[in-house]
Amino acid sequence: MTEAAPSPLLRVTGLTHRYGEIVACRDISFELFAREVLGVVGESGSGKTTLLNCCSAHLEPTAGRVEYDTRTHGLADVFGLREPERRMLMRTDWGVVHQNPRDGLRMDVTAGGNVAERLIMTGARHYGRVRGEATTWMDRVELELDRVDDPPKTYTGGMQQRLQIARNLVTKPRLVFMDEPTGGLDVSVQARLLDLLRGLVRELGIAAIVVTHDLAVTRLLADRLMVMRRGEVVETGLTDQVLDDPQNPYTQLLVSSVLQV
Amino acid sequence: MEPLIEVRGLAKTFTLHTQKGARIPVFEKLDLVVHAGECVALYGPSGCGKSSLLRSLYANYLPQAGEVLVRHRDARIDMVKAEPSTVLAVRRETIGYVSQFLRVIPRIPALEAVAEPLRALGTDAEAAGRRAADLLGRLNVPEGLWSLAPATFSGGEQQRVNIARGFVVDYPIMLLDEPTAALDADNRQGVVELILGAKERGAGVVGIFHDDEVREAVADRVFDLRDFAAAA
């Protein structure tokens, strides 16, 4: 099939992570290809955030491998990279959108500065150009440009989340990790943010792993779904197939438990 | 000529694990061939599996056995076994699906919702918008509504937005799940013309049409699901 990329962007093999006696993730394997959005669902404690943290190199798994298609070495074990290489990867090729914007933003630095920071970290020096890029991105995530010099602590939750997205996308990452991206937001703000995310991901051709307990979010954002329970993947497949014709008993329970509005 | 769709030995059974593992067999050993330019009407009483078959052709449902071979570009793809990325490519380029109910992102204007499948194929916003406007016009959706989100539209208006969205790309294969259910006679005629137009350009159409007049106007043959009922 010509559509499938020859080599995955991310390959996870036999990933297991234990916190003492507790097994948070057990023997998880999957591949993610360029431009693909993978949703990871499951209830609290299912291990989905641990999996995300291992994939994004924030947490070294107890066993197993996480390989990423690096620009210089091709597919390489992210925990085998030298520290500066890994740091560069995290600053340029990858983005992380946290559930709580406070974890992804510097609350006392101006909004423009927050967006510019990742550019500067990757070597941009020209002030005018950096500021120009920062304002362009604030505009793309529909933030008012007269707020560019205000710190994010003066922003609403929805604005902070959009700023966090701008901060991540400014370096044109190939892979973005999102942990409950709409989690703490009012429902009225969620739809707009989801539409924005969906548009940007498609337009920029970004691959993403989106962890959420909200099945509606995955229907809108994810191409493919992975259902987790007690640290294991119990079902995986095309998003609408898993949601509309779930095969696994736990997935059936999860899908049938959602209240209809 | 090689068919657009070839279904072989398809079986669908639902196992409801949350309800004591109840098994609901729907159909089995189902064969169906659809050629370019023909419209096949799925037929049979409620619950005989018409929608389940249509959804299986689109890989929205997962059949328990058999194959759904679809001509996509120069290849034949089995929608039952294909990787998600392949299924999505087939849906982008080859198969259009009009469901019974409109499902779009909240707060997106009707015109954009209709243009979206074309945009996903890389058509620029202006050309996609023109094509979407043309279809909404042909389906008598009042122009005043185009810039509004469809959530507040009437059932019939939503259904016409849904149909416009399904026909905005000239897909080689069209799957239609009761496209005229919520429409009055005038609007039904608009849909009939779209279906005839699709056949004219060589599309293969599989549909569920409860309205006898519509079915007689568009269908070349009737496919009776009762012939493939699975034993309970």
Side-chain angles (χ1 to χ4, degrees):
Chain A
M1 189 57 225
T2 47
E3 195 72 19
S7 150
L9 192 61
L10 188 80
R11 180 195 283 156
V12 173
T13 318
L15 187 146
T16 295
H17 192 71
R18 292 193 191 83
Y19 298 105
E21 291 295 297
I22 300 159
V23 182
C25 292
R26 188 192 299 275
D27 195 22
I28 293 171
S29 299
F30 67 91
E31 291 184 338
L32 182 76
F33 291 87
R35 297 168 173 268
E36 199 175 29
V37 179
L38 172 71
V40 182
V41 297
E43 56 203 7
S44 316
S46 61
K48 54 193 196 298
T49 296
T50 298
L51 176 65
L52 192 77
N53 289 338
C54 288
C55 291
S56 62
H58 285 81
L59 182 67
E60 186 159 358
T62 317
R65 285 162 74 84
V66 177
E67 293 164 292
Y68 177 75
D69 180 24
T70 59
R71 288 169 202 251
T72 42
H73 314 296
L75 213 55
D77 186 340
V78 299
F79 294 100
L81 293 174
R82 288 184 299 120
E83 187 55 33
E85 289 176 320
R86 186 159 66 236
R87 208 177 303 133
M88 199 59 187
L89 197 64
M90 293 165 95
R91 284 174 181 169
T92 55
D93 255 27
W94 292 0
V96 178
V97 176
H98 299 268
Q99 174 177 5
N100 188 340
R102 283 171 191 284
D103 298 331
L105 291 172
R106 299 225 276 148
M107 300 308 277
D108 299 317
V109 174
T110 65
N114 263 285
V115 180
E117 192 177 42
R118 259 178 67 111
L119 275 180
I120 293 165
M121 283 193 300
T122 57
R125 287 292 173 266
H126 188 278
Y127 175 78
R129 213 172 295 149
V130 168
R131 181 154 173 109
E133 274 281 287
T135 23
T136 303
W137 271 99
M138 286 192 57
D139 190 46
R140 283 188 87 163
V141 299
E142 299 162 26
L143 286 169
E144 287 158 36
L145 297 183
D146 57 5
R147 300 291 304 273
V148 66
D149 292 320
D150 296 343
K153 62 185 176 192
T154 66
Y155 279 20
T156 64
M159 288 164 69
Q160 287 175 356
Q161 201 57 306
R162 276 178 278 146
L163 184 65
Q164 201 191 172
I165 290 163
R167 176 182 158 95
N168 273 286
L169 298 190
V170 70
T171 56
K172 302 189 175 60
R174 291 200 290 163
L175 174 57
V176 177
F177 302 93
M178 304 187 209
D179 192 359
E180 305 276 5
T182 58
L185 302 177
D186 288 343
V187 176
S188 60
V189 182
Q190 277 184 15
R192 190 171 160 207
L193 187 82
L194 277 176
D195 180 46
L196 179 78
L197 267 178
R198 186 165 116 130
L200 287 171
V201 164
R202 300 237 166 124
E203 193 184 318
L204 302 170
I206 297 170
I209 301 181
V210 184
V211 160
T212 179
H213 67 274
D214 189 340
L215 298 178
V217 167
T218 62
R219 196 187 277 277
L220 289 179
L221 278 183
D223 302 318
R224 203 149 60 86
L225 214 55
M226 214 156 77
V227 183
M228 289 187 67
R229 187 191 191 203
R230 294 181 187 157
E232 292 182 34
V233 174
V234 296
E235 184 161 0
T236 172
L238 192 69
T239 300
D240 60 277
Q241 194 181 83
V242 172
L243 294 179
D244 294 338
D245 189 16
Q247 307 293 310
N248 179 273
Y250 176 69
T251 316
Q252 289 189 357
L253 180 68
L254 204 63
V255 170
S256 65
S257 304
V258 176
L259 296 173
Q260 300 287 323
V261 279
Chain B
M1 182 128 169
E2 192 182 78
L4 291 177
I5 305 174
E6 187 172 357
V7 177
R8 292 180 189 156
L10 205 67
K12 181 67 200 156
T13 298
F14 293 101
T15 305
L16 308 178
H17 294 285
T18 54
Q19 292 172 55
K20 298 174 181 161
R23 277 171 49 84
I24 303 174
V26 185
F27 51 73
E28 63 184 11
K29 296 175 188 153
L30 186 147
D31 299 325
L32 168 66
V33 174
V34 182
H35 289 278
E38 77 169 337
C39 174
V40 177
L42 304 184
Y43 193 76
S46 178
C48 73
K50 302 186 292 292
S51 281
S52 293
L53 173 57
L54 213 54
R55 286 166 178 261
S56 298
L57 301 182
Y58 200 57
N60 175 236
Y61 279 2
L62 182 69
Q64 272 55 47
E67 340 179 82
V68 174
L69 301 170
V70 166
R71 197 191 332 158
H72 170 66
R73 296 183 190 164
D74 297 325
R76 287 233 285 179
I77 304 290
D78 180 2
M79 295 293 278
V80 179
K81 299 236 166 52
E83 287 296 317
S85 59
T86 305
V87 172
L88 292 172
V90 172
R91 289 177 177 183
R92 259 193 314 274
E93 299 169 30
T94 303
I95 308 183
Y97 178 78
V98 177
S99 58
Q100 277 177 286
F101 303 102
L102 179 66
R103 182 177 241 155
V104 289
I105 298 191
R107 302 169 72 188
I108 302 301
L111 191 77
E112 265 179 57
V114 171
E116 198 200 2
L118 260 185
R119 298 278 290 128
L121 284 174
T123 307
D124 66 78
E126 201 185 322
R130 270 200 308 274
R131 168 85 176 146
D134 173 53
L135 277 165
L136 287 171
R138 282 166 67 181
L139 290 164
N140 300 319
V141 177
E143 197 168 340
L145 296 179
W146 298 0
S147 59
L148 305 176
T152 54
F153 294 6
S154 74
E157 284 161 353
Q158 288 197 19
Q159 181 62 328
R160 280 175 282 152
V161 169
N162 205 18
I163 292 163
R165 190 176 146 91
F167 280 88
V168 77
V169 172
D170 284 335
Y171 298 104
I173 296 169
M174 295 292 304
L175 307 176
L176 311 172
D177 195 348
E178 296 194 47
T180 56
L183 305 184
D184 58 28
D186 281 355
N187 288 316
R188 276 203 294 275
Q189 191 49 39
V191 179
V192 165
E193 281 162 22
L194 281 180
I195 297 171
L196 294 175
K199 285 170 60 179
E200 190 92 341
R201 63 169 173 77
V205 182
V206 182
I208 301 168
F209 310 100
H210 277 287
D211 188 287
D212 294 340
E213 264 177 54
V214 172
R215 187 171 56 245
E216 278 158 28
V218 300
D220 298 287
R221 60 193 169 94
V222 162
F223 185 84
D224 198 328
L225 267 288
R226 284 171 296 190
D227 299 340
F228 305 96

